[in-house]
Amino acid sequence: MREEIIRISEDEIARQREFAQKVRFHPDRPKTYFIVTYGCQMNAHDSETLAGMLEDMGLTAAAEKTQADIVLHNTCCIRDNAERKALGNVTWLKEIKKDRPELLIGVCGCMIQQAEMANKLLKQYPFIDLAFGTGNLYRLPEYLLEAIENKDRVIRVDREASTVAEGLPVRRENDIKAYITVMYGCNNYCSYCIVPYVRGRERSRLSDDIVREAELLVQSGVKEIMLLGQNVNSYGLDSAEGVSFAKLLRRVSRTGIERLRFMTSHPKDLSDELIDEMACNPVIAPHLHLPVQSGNDRILREMNRRYTREHYLQRVQALRSAMPDIGLTTDLIVAFPGETEQEFQDTLSLVEEVRYDSAYTFIYSPRKGTRAADMPGKIDAAVASERIERLIAAQERITGEILSGMHGQTAQVLVEGTSRRRETQLTGKSGRNINVNFTGDASDIGKIIPIRITGAGSNTLRGEKEE
Ligand code: 5AD
Ligand code: SF4
């Protein structure tokens, strides 16, 4: 897919603001909204932008989906089950619409960006009022106005994928932690992955725009920023600015933010410069999500990952020698087409060798239009679930061992809130991104405080405030 990168002009953003004002004063506009989000952090952050735009148009958040005047589904299509879940929930709303015909049902996000989706929605889902993809999300005011004025469906699936829009309003979910997208899209074309087709080409935001956004967040009291991109290691490679991701991290860390995280890193692009920056910059959290996908070289080649097991392990070693206490997490796929038992065991042995703090494990799901979807050697479903269970069991044991080994250590915990059960029970995240529960009071919320670890559950730690 050769697609041009389009930076949306300030004029176009201003035009959308005008549409937003027209919606705001339209007598027939929806008054309340509800957004259902599927998938990754990028989508969660896109939903914050959707909420910001809807509030700019005068809408307020509804407490329940069934009470809202407009329900937007921000979809994911990375695996078949994500897609089925979204379509199932959209169809369920059809029943609510029978009683409340004024309810607007919207669908947006990655699923919409797939080829043939417009036709499918038009024919099979006549109750969907509004549909648009990730690349034209900034046009929500225009589409909503059109839907209200013409009382007709607005299905805009024009595959405009590679856009960068600055200056959209954002309604953030959390006062303590915030996301900043630093780049959109992906050029890697891993053979199993739909993302490059639905999120478009890699394009980086300008570093000044990112730093300004970080400064505003710091001023508003945010303590932790997570920089987001499908492959943050290639930040800047598409622009003439000459700012690498390591340099961007340094610039953002100087805004006064207390803790900085980022994801996702591709192992083939993890530079020594980035490792050095992580090691010497105390603002950057000692955690790296480094998806390996498989521990077997043939499978890695078939996946088009462009690194070997040996290269990956060397990168892990470089990280650990620079930062002995770094926490590593990963993504793993089992039952890729043609994966043999021996090849799967290479993934198991890699997990044993690296000892991740935790791992997201997935059964391979064929995605139409990707290279792997046409590969022979489909793995039997029973074999796939047996493999994933073995992998999960191994990872759970390792997680348990790592957490128990933290007994007596001190973790720097960013306190996020009270636990659901008791008000004096506080919860937060350590630098390594592990949940820590301890007894404290509401004045601790929003601070990074030292907690001495006294015990471990299956994936959380318990601790006490240090005197
Ligand atoms: N099937 C299973 N897992 C997938 N992922 C991406 N595409 C697929 C697929 N077709 C996983 C990868 C990636 C994570 C976000 O989702 O592990 O790192
Ligand atoms: Fe998908 Fe690979 Fe890009 Fe990650 S790096 S989004 S797995 S194509």
Side-chain angles (χ1 to χ4, degrees):
M1 187 167 59
R2 271 275 154 256
E3 210 186 333
E4 223 184 309
I5 295 170
I6 306 165
R7 292 194 184 264
I8 306 303
S9 68
E10 282 177 22
D11 287 351
E12 174 59 23
I13 299 295
R15 200 171 75 95
Q16 293 299 328
R17 278 260 152 103
E18 281 169 25
F19 289 126
Q21 286 304 304
K22 286 192 182 140
V23 173
R24 182 182 264 274
F25 296 108
H26 200 289
D28 299 335
R29 75 162 166 85
K31 306 290 180 291
T32 58
Y33 73 89
F34 194 92
I35 300 174
V36 190
T37 308
Y38 304 87
C40 64
Q41 281 94 344
M42 297 283 258
N43 253 20
H45 187 42
D46 280 351
S47 288
E48 293 183 328
T49 308
L50 291 165
M53 288 193 283
L54 290 167
E55 296 198 0
D56 201 40
M57 292 184 259
L59 282 79
T60 53
E64 303 272 349
K65 168 159 84 169
T66 49
Q67 292 161 3
D69 297 333
I70 177 168
V71 179
L72 274 184
H73 300 79
N74 189 9
T75 60
C76 168
C77 57
I78 196 133
R79 283 171 292 276
D80 185 49
N81 52 2
E83 203 167 300
R84 265 185 296 144
K85 205 160 107 191
L87 286 174
N89 283 341
V90 171
T91 308
W92 178 82
L93 263 189
K94 183 172 76 169
E95 299 305 312
I96 308 286
K97 203 176 162 88
K98 279 187 187 145
D99 296 333
R100 292 181 45 216
E102 73 284 3
L103 167 66
L104 288 175
I105 300 180
V107 185
C108 59
C110 292
M111 199 179 84
I112 298 301
Q113 206 83 41
Q114 292 176 95
E116 291 306 307
M117 194 41 96
N119 275 340
K120 185 169 170 180
L121 291 182
L122 284 168
K123 286 194 199 124
Q124 295 175 22
Y125 297 86
F127 48 90
I128 293 177
D129 302 290
L130 191 63
F132 52 95
T134 51
N136 46 5
L137 171 147
Y138 70 95
R139 291 193 179 192
L140 173 61
E142 178 182 346
Y143 298 154
L144 190 53
L145 184 65
E146 207 177 316
I148 301 166
E149 284 191 333
N150 300 347
K151 301 215 179 324
D152 201 3
R153 312 175 70 193
V154 178
I155 310 286
R156 287 301 138 77
V157 190
D158 42 14
R159 314 206 68 210
E160 178 185 26
S162 296
T163 57
V164 181
E166 291 294 344
L168 299 176
V170 180
R171 168 82 180 83
R172 297 197 182 261
E173 282 286 311
N174 190 311
D175 300 333
I176 299 169
K177 303 199 297 186
Y179 295 128
I180 299 183
T181 302
V182 302
M183 62 183 303
Y184 304 91
C186 182
N187 291 354
N188 283 319
Y189 291 94
C190 300
S191 63
Y192 50 81
C193 186
I194 191 85
V195 167
Y197 303 91
V198 296
R199 285 266 175 186
R201 286 181 58 199
E202 282 179 3
R203 59 247 186 241
S204 305
R205 291 178 63 198
L206 299 174
S207 59
D208 284 349
D209 288 333
I210 295 165
V211 170
R212 203 168 311 123
E213 187 172 344
E215 284 167 351
L216 289 174
L217 289 170
V218 171
Q219 280 165 27
S220 71
V222 165
K223 298 296 183 325
E224 177 180 302
I225 289 175
M226 160 106 61
L227 302 182
L228 294 177
Q230 302 298 343
N231 177 17
V232 290
N233 301 84
S234 37
Y235 173 80
L237 297 182
D238 60 305
S239 88
E241 272 202 315
V243 178
S244 64
F245 185 62
K247 293 206 178 74
L248 179 74
L249 276 176
R250 186 173 314 172
R251 283 192 64 192
V252 175
S253 73
R254 288 179 180 154
T255 56
I257 192 70
E258 290 185 34
R259 187 183 268 175
L260 192 53
R261 299 185 185 280
F262 56 92
M263 73 188 302
T264 297
S265 292
H266 195 303
K268 78 177 163 55
D269 302 319
L270 177 63
S271 66
D272 289 336
E273 188 199 11
L274 179 60
I275 297 177
D276 289 346
E277 186 61 35
M278 289 181 79
C280 14
N281 190 331
V283 177
I284 304 173
H287 167 232
L288 188 68
H289 185 64
L290 197 61
V292 68
Q293 315 297 359
S294 166
N296 174 271
D297 283 344
R298 189 189 75 85
I299 296 289
L300 286 171
R301 221 171 27 247
E302 292 291 307
M303 286 178 163
N304 192 31
R305 291 291 287 177
R306 288 178 281 167
Y307 54 82
T308 58
R309 176 189 176 107
E310 192 191 342
H311 174 83
Y312 185 92
L313 289 173
Q314 275 168 356
R315 292 286 78 192
V316 167
Q317 206 187 354
L319 284 158
R320 290 219 164 112
S321 59
M323 292 163 278
D325 284 330
I326 192 169
L328 298 176
T329 55
T330 201
D331 294 343
L332 300 160
I333 297 178
V334 304
F336 185 80
E339 184 189 67
T340 63
E341 168 62 23
Q342 188 54 48
E343 287 167 339
F344 165 69
Q345 283 192 22
D346 286 343
T347 300
L348 269 181
S349 76
L350 181 120
V351 163
E352 297 287 350
E353 202 169 329
V354 176
R355 295 182 65 79
Y356 296 104
D357 283 359
S358 63
Y360 294 100
T361 49
F362 307 107
I363 293 177
Y364 167 72
S365 165
R367 306 280 65 208
K368 207 164 155 235
T370 61
R371 272 214 294 119
D374 298 325
M375 288 181 186
K378 184 179 181 326
I379 306 296
D380 185 73
V383 174
S385 30
E386 187 260 344
R387 284 185 189 164
I388 201 168
E389 275 166 29
R390 274 151 75 199
L391 191 57
I392 291 170
Q395 182 55 52
E396 280 178 355
R397 174 180 44 74
I398 294 166
T399 300
E401 287 164 5
I402 291 175
L403 296 195
S404 323
M406 288 179 173
H407 195 275
Q409 292 179 4
T410 298
Q412 299 298 325
V413 176
L414 172 57
V415 188
E416 293 176 12
T418 53
S419 89
R420 259 165 283 158
R421 272 164 289 170
R422 266 189 298 144
E423 269 199 9
T424 51
Q425 192 65 29
L426 295 180
T427 176
K429 282 224 159 64
S430 70
R432 275 171 78 151
N433 212 25
I434 298 169
N435 281 318
V436 182
N437 300 321
F438 64 99
T439 305
D441 56 67
S443 68
D444 295 325
I445 296 174
K447 291 185 194 148
I448 295 179
I449 54 176
I451 301 289
R452 197 161 36 80
I453 302 305
T454 55
S458 56
N459 50 21
T460 59
L461 293 167
R462 282 185 305 280
E464 288 168 356
K465 273 165 86 168
E466 289 201 331
E467 295 309 318

